[in-house]
Amino acid sequence: DGSGHADEHCFTSSYLISADKVKQFKDDVHLHPGTHAAAAHVESKTSVVVNMIAENTTNVFEQTGVFVSACHHGIIQTLVEMRQSGELTKYAIATVNKLIDVYGPNGVTDYDIGCSFSKTVAASSIANKVKRLNHCFIVNSFHGHTHNRRCQLQYHTLYQEGSNAVAPLIHHASYFHWLQFIDLQFDQRDQDRYQELSQFLYNNYKQALDIINDVTPAVEELKVQLDLTDADFQCWNVEELEYLTSLASEVEYDSQKTAYVEALQSLMMAEYVIPLSTF
């Protein structure tokens, strides 16, 4: 009904990346065609609130959702309006550009398509900035374990040195109050996160110490038995990546060995089940 544009007040939000700044990257995707931004986590972790946008929605409504980034501890960093579209690469690039401007060099973007997105960024208008400031891209742990192994070895965090309660308030709000309510929601959420952060860090630190204390003796014993050094563990990742990169197709003898092991497993199950069936 157009009521959202009747209020001409401007609300200033520290979270918001303006539409004009996002537009600067609207043609970047053409530099690397075929790439489409999906759900995100920027670690800066980015999370996309809206996952699927119907085509008729993008044609009717000016706003179709928001693209939000948060730090590793869940504290909101940036907010981008998605306008007349679903998730586009320009939103992710604008987010990364903002995070680099704020936090400077040696940052990491944790994105569930971090592997392909890194190639998009390398062909974008911020490529030199990203390279110069040593900004890296990885995939988040949950996504990484369901992705192909070669990608994991390069981008998985293992191998590297939201609430929607505000929605009813903004359905029919003016743009000013839409941004105001979202800003207040994120600000309160961040304050709550800050209060929980010390306990979160303490629990993780304690867990890490327990793992080190429990596992280190076993690892040291294994290193002695197998004549290994810490450098060997690093080399294994490199060797595995090189092998998978050079492997064009599955080696035939590998598939034969796999089939043989599966046959042995089937035989073992059959020998186990048949005696039970006699009782």
Side-chain angles (χ1 to χ4, degrees):
D1 57 5
S3 59
H5 298 280
D7 188 341
E8 297 182 357
H9 289 86
C10 293
F11 183 85
T12 302
S13 171
S14 59
Y15 296 108
L16 183 68
I17 301 175
S18 69
D20 290 337
K21 291 186 180 298
V22 174
K23 285 180 181 179
Q24 297 175 11
F25 307 106
K26 66 183 179 66
D27 296 322
D28 277 30
V29 70
H30 299 305
L31 300 175
H32 190 74
T35 305
H36 182 74
H41 270 275
V42 168
E43 183 176 54
S44 293
K45 276 189 181 178
T46 313
S47 60
V48 173
V49 176
V50 178
N51 214 10
M52 298 290 290
I53 303 293
E55 184 176 353
N56 60 343
T57 300
T58 64
N59 293 332
V60 173
F61 297 104
E62 175 72 12
Q63 292 177 326
T64 53
V66 290
F67 190 98
V68 181
S69 73
C71 78
H72 182 65
H73 304 104
I75 296 171
I76 301 299
Q77 303 295 300
T78 62
L79 162 69
V80 177
E81 294 178 75
M82 289 167 27
R83 293 191 171 188
Q84 295 184 326
S85 71
E87 305 90 22
L88 299 178
T89 302
K90 65 180 181 179
Y91 302 130
I93 294 177
T95 297
V96 171
N97 185 63
K98 176 68 172 181
L99 292 171
I100 293 176
D101 287 344
V102 173
Y103 294 108
N106 303 318
V108 177
T109 295
D110 178 359
Y111 196 179
D112 69 358
I113 57 166
C115 44
S116 60
F117 184 64
S118 65
K119 298 175 183 177
T120 302
V121 171
S124 73
S125 59
I126 64 171
N128 291 334
K129 176 194 286 189
V130 169
K131 184 177 181 180
R132 175 170 49 85
L133 296 177
N134 191 36
H135 193 87
C136 301
F137 298 90
I138 58 176
V139 293
N140 56 67
S141 298
F142 177 82
H143 175 78
H145 283 301
T146 64
H147 206 29
N148 74 75
R149 178 62 178 166
R150 188 171 64 181
C151 171
Q152 289 181 36
L153 289 169
Q154 293 176 282
Y155 295 99
H156 197 283
T157 53
L158 181 62
Y159 306 110
Q160 302 294 327
E161 307 267 307
S163 169
N164 204 26
V166 74
L169 301 175
I170 61 175
H171 278 164
H172 304 290
S174 67
Y175 180 77
F176 173 85
H177 289 107
W178 173 87
L179 183 55
Q180 182 186 48
F181 277 121
I182 286 183
D183 188 272
L184 289 171
Q185 168 79 359
F186 287 168
D187 183 62
Q188 182 61 55
R189 182 181 184 277
D190 287 350
Q191 291 183 42
D192 294 339
R193 289 283 183 172
Y194 275 121
Q195 292 176 0
E196 302 167 359
L197 190 55
S198 58
Q199 185 65 41
F200 173 83
L201 293 174
Y202 170 75
N203 290 338
N204 278 269
Y205 180 68
K206 184 178 178 181
Q207 182 185 47
L209 290 179
D210 289 341
I211 292 173
I212 292 172
N213 293 333
D214 293 342
V215 175
T216 297
V219 173
E220 293 300 326
E221 182 179 351
L222 184 66
K223 287 165 61 178
V224 172
Q225 292 176 357
L226 301 180
D227 191 24
L228 299 173
T229 66
D230 292 339
D232 291 320
F233 299 136
Q234 300 293 333
C235 290
W236 289 349
N237 289 339
V238 176
E239 291 171 359
E240 184 179 2
L241 177 59
E242 290 176 349
Y243 172 76
L244 292 174
T245 302
S246 62
L247 189 63
S249 59
E250 185 178 9
V251 180
E252 186 174 351
Y253 72 81
D254 282 345
S255 61
Q256 292 174 350
K257 287 182 178 180
T258 301
Y260 179 69
V261 171
E262 290 175 347
L264 288 177
Q265 291 174 337
S266 298
L267 176 61
M268 182 181 67
M269 290 297 298
E271 291 176 341
Y272 177 74
V273 172
I274 292 175
L276 291 178
S277 63
T278 60
F279 291 96

